Amino acid sequence: MSRLVEKYIRELFDEKKVPQKLREELWGYYFDKLSKAVDAGYSSKSEFYDKDLARALKYNIAQFCAFKETSFRNTLRDLLTKDGSLVPWSEFKKEAYKVSGDYNHRWLETEYHQTVANANMAEKWKDFERNADLYPNLKFVSVNDNRVRPEHKALDGTIRPINDPFWNKYTPPLDWGCRCHVVQTDEEPTEIKGGLQLKIEFENNPATSGSIFGGTAYEKGLDKKEKYDAYQNSINWLENLQKKNGKVTFDKDYDVSDFEKNKYIAEMCAKQTGFNFHIRKHLNITGVTNPEYLVNNLFLGDRKSIESNKGILTQIDLAKKQMLNKKINPHQMPYYIVWDLDYVKNIDFDEIKRNLSRKITPTRGKGIRGMFFQYQGKVVHIYREDVITQNMDMLDHLIK
């Protein structure tokens, strides 16, 4: 860690910027530590383990770490000048290491323990849900010693139904190092005390939101572009961590009715892009269609077969509607669309590009991570940003 920080600080001082590779490396250090904290609090061996929830918690951690890295960089950058002049290396290094002590040691250690506590609460909540028919209510319990925060003490003894919106904001831990907890009960609900105010990052229920942190102070002071870049970095870097070896796997309870087609498309996409495809378990939910894939063990992938160039327009809307359904995508994670173009009559990729541009803009199609296009055994992959920037020429390779 010390070598990484030294390189990071030196690069910023010499070049007045930090290379993306170094930024990703520091993000990776943060993510590795906090990802292990998720595992410590919500073990895959738990009786109540939910893979979708665990993925969502780590996705949230990835974003948190990207904002943390950006904030660290910006704080260091502010130290480069003093009274309008560049400071010497010796002075900058001294102050930079003080900042590093906060970001990369003291605060990171606190964030680790907070992540463990939140992940552990997510596990407990899954147990609460299982027993909700016997114990439909939850009681907030504070430690009630001389260290307890006044606003937490005020909540002590509050009883609300497990599905009450109250728990979306007041599920502990409610601050750094909070020792409050929740227990199940069949006691009658009580009134909610008014005037309670928490820090926004702690107004959260990790089990229902799929987030360790409801927000982060690291976002403060970042401009709109920096926030957008941090978010994009978090997804890109998270996907970079996943081993991409073009493998196709499948759940033992896959949908047999369309398995051969799903398998063929997955194999073509995996072989030609290197992404891993998992054919998911069939969900038998009335009125709900099931996304066929899990891409790189992170994001859902929905296969769409169309018969005309205009089919893009309706199927993007259908994919969005599908992914907004919390029975399918409970924590509203980004998703992929996997296009099967074999049945398109008179295929025209210029029209397909125009139709994509109509549906995917800076303000539309935000949930889409990217898309795969399969046509007569050839596959290309593009990201949402490629559509927004009109960088879609790779689609032409499908007919060359």
Side-chain angles (χ1 to χ4, degrees):
M1 176 59 178
S2 58
R3 264 186 203 175
L4 171 59
V5 170
E6 184 177 353
K7 284 170 62 179
Y8 191 105
I9 290 172
R10 186 80 229 192
E11 196 74 31
L12 180 60
F13 182 82
D14 290 341
E15 304 297 330
K16 307 303 178 281
K17 62 181 181 180
V18 183
Q20 196 75 348
K21 184 179 179 181
L22 263 183
R23 296 187 63 192
E24 182 174 356
E25 199 174 339
L26 183 58
W27 170 88
Y29 178 82
Y30 297 154
F31 180 78
D32 180 65
K33 186 174 181 70
L34 297 187
S35 179
K36 287 176 180 175
V38 172
D39 293 336
Y42 191 23
S43 170
S44 59
K45 296 179 182 179
S46 168
E47 181 183 355
F48 315 109
Y49 191 71
D50 179 333
K51 289 182 179 179
D52 289 337
L53 176 56
R55 272 195 298 272
L57 295 176
K58 291 192 177 183
Y59 174 62
N60 174 255
I61 284 298
Q63 294 176 66
F64 177 87
C65 293
F67 285 117
K68 179 182 176 77
E69 185 278 329
T70 303
S71 176
F72 178 59
R73 182 200 61 179
N74 288 0
T75 303
L76 293 181
R77 196 167 54 193
D78 290 342
L79 299 175
L80 288 170
T81 58
K82 188 175 182 180
D83 299 327
S85 301
L86 287 172
V87 300
W89 164 245
S90 58
E91 182 178 339
F92 174 76
K93 181 180 179 181
K94 179 181 177 182
E95 295 303 315
Y97 271 101
K98 288 180 183 178
V99 170
S100 178
D102 287 334
Y103 275 82
N104 302 322
H105 297 284
R106 287 182 287 276
W107 296 349
L108 185 58
E109 199 61 30
T110 300
E111 289 154 4
Y112 174 89
H113 292 295
Q114 194 74 11
T115 299
V116 171
N118 270 298
N120 190 240
M121 176 51 71
E123 179 184 34
K124 289 178 181 177
W125 192 271
K126 288 297 179 181
D127 187 22
F128 294 160
E129 288 178 334
R130 186 181 69 163
N131 296 314
D133 55 337
L134 296 176
Y135 302 99
N137 302 323
L138 301 177
K139 178 191 282 189
F140 188 99
V141 181
S142 76
V143 178
N144 273 331
D145 59 15
N146 58 7
R147 292 169 50 205
V148 70
R149 297 171 175 90
E151 59 271 27
H152 298 194
K153 188 173 184 179
L155 289 167
D156 185 57
T158 300
I159 300 172
R160 302 302 299 171
I162 189 172
N163 59 357
D164 194 295
F166 171 84
W167 298 112
N168 293 338
K169 291 178 65 174
Y170 298 108
T171 296
L174 301 181
D175 210 321
W176 303 112
C178 172
R179 298 168 295 146
C180 302
H181 64 285
V182 173
V183 296
Q184 279 194 294
T185 181
D186 56 3
E187 297 176 72
E188 290 299 312
T190 62
E191 293 296 318
I192 300 173
K193 296 182 175 71
L196 299 171
Q197 185 64 49
L198 300 176
K199 299 172 186 174
I200 190 169
E201 57 263 46
F202 300 106
E203 293 182 351
N204 180 43
N205 181 337
T208 57
S209 71
S211 299
I212 292 294
F213 298 103
T216 168
Y218 293 131
E219 288 187 58
K220 294 177 181 177
L222 302 186
D223 61 32
K224 188 175 180 179
K225 184 179 185 305
E226 286 174 327
K227 289 179 182 180
Y228 177 81
D229 288 347
Y231 172 71
Q232 290 301 318
N233 285 340
S234 72
I235 304 180
N236 293 336
W237 294 342
L238 184 60
E239 279 205 315
N240 288 347
L241 282 182
Q242 309 306 309
K243 186 176 181 181
K244 295 180 184 177
N245 49 14
K247 283 192 174 182
V248 176
T249 57
F250 49 89
D251 191 279
K252 61 182 178 64
D253 296 318
Y254 58 78
D255 184 357
V256 295
S257 64
D258 220 9
F259 176 70
E260 290 305 321
K261 187 63 173 178
N262 289 337
K263 181 170 177 282
Y264 170 75
I265 298 295
E267 287 176 342
M268 291 298 101
C269 290
K271 182 179 180 180
Q272 296 180 47
T273 68
F275 283 74
N276 295 332
F277 276 70
H278 178 74
I279 299 175
R280 300 175 65 239
K281 178 180 180 180
H282 176 63
L283 299 180
N284 190 19
I285 304 174
T286 304
V288 175
T289 55
N290 185 30
E292 290 78 8
Y293 307 120
L294 185 67
V295 181
N296 274 346
N297 198 36
L298 284 174
F299 303 128
L300 292 174
D302 189 29
R303 180 170 72 81
K304 297 294 186 187
S305 294
I306 58 176
E307 297 181 357
S308 71
N309 299 303
K310 289 184 178 179
I312 292 281
L313 299 172
T314 56
Q315 292 301 319
I316 284 181
D317 287 342
L318 287 175
K320 178 181 179 181
K321 182 178 180 181
Q322 183 179 12
M323 294 301 181
L324 286 173
N325 189 322
K326 290 201 170 184
K327 291 180 180 178
I328 292 294
N329 190 11
H331 305 294
Q332 298 301 286
M333 300 268 283
Y335 57 91
Y336 282 98
I337 300 177
V338 182
W339 295 104
D340 178 8
L341 305 178
D342 281 345
Y343 304 106
V344 178
K345 302 178 183 70
N346 302 315
I347 196 163
D348 182 341
F349 282 102
D350 287 333
E351 184 179 353
I352 286 176
K353 292 175 196 175
R354 288 194 296 271
N355 290 335
L356 287 170
S357 296
R358 287 173 61 185
K359 289 295 181 179
I360 301 175
T361 71
T363 58
R364 301 181 71 181
K366 289 184 175 181
I368 298 172
R369 166 60 176 157
M371 294 175 284
F372 298 86
F373 295 81
Q374 187 281 146
Y375 180 62
Q376 296 183 354
K378 291 183 179 180
V379 176
V380 296
H381 162 255
I382 66 174
Y383 288 111
R384 176 176 181 269
E385 289 68 34
D386 294 324
V387 179
I388 293 172
T389 59
Q390 299 294 303
N391 182 26
M392 294 180 279
D393 289 345
M394 62 281 286
L395 289 175
D396 298 331
H397 296 307
L398 293 174
I399 53 174
K400 289 182 180 179

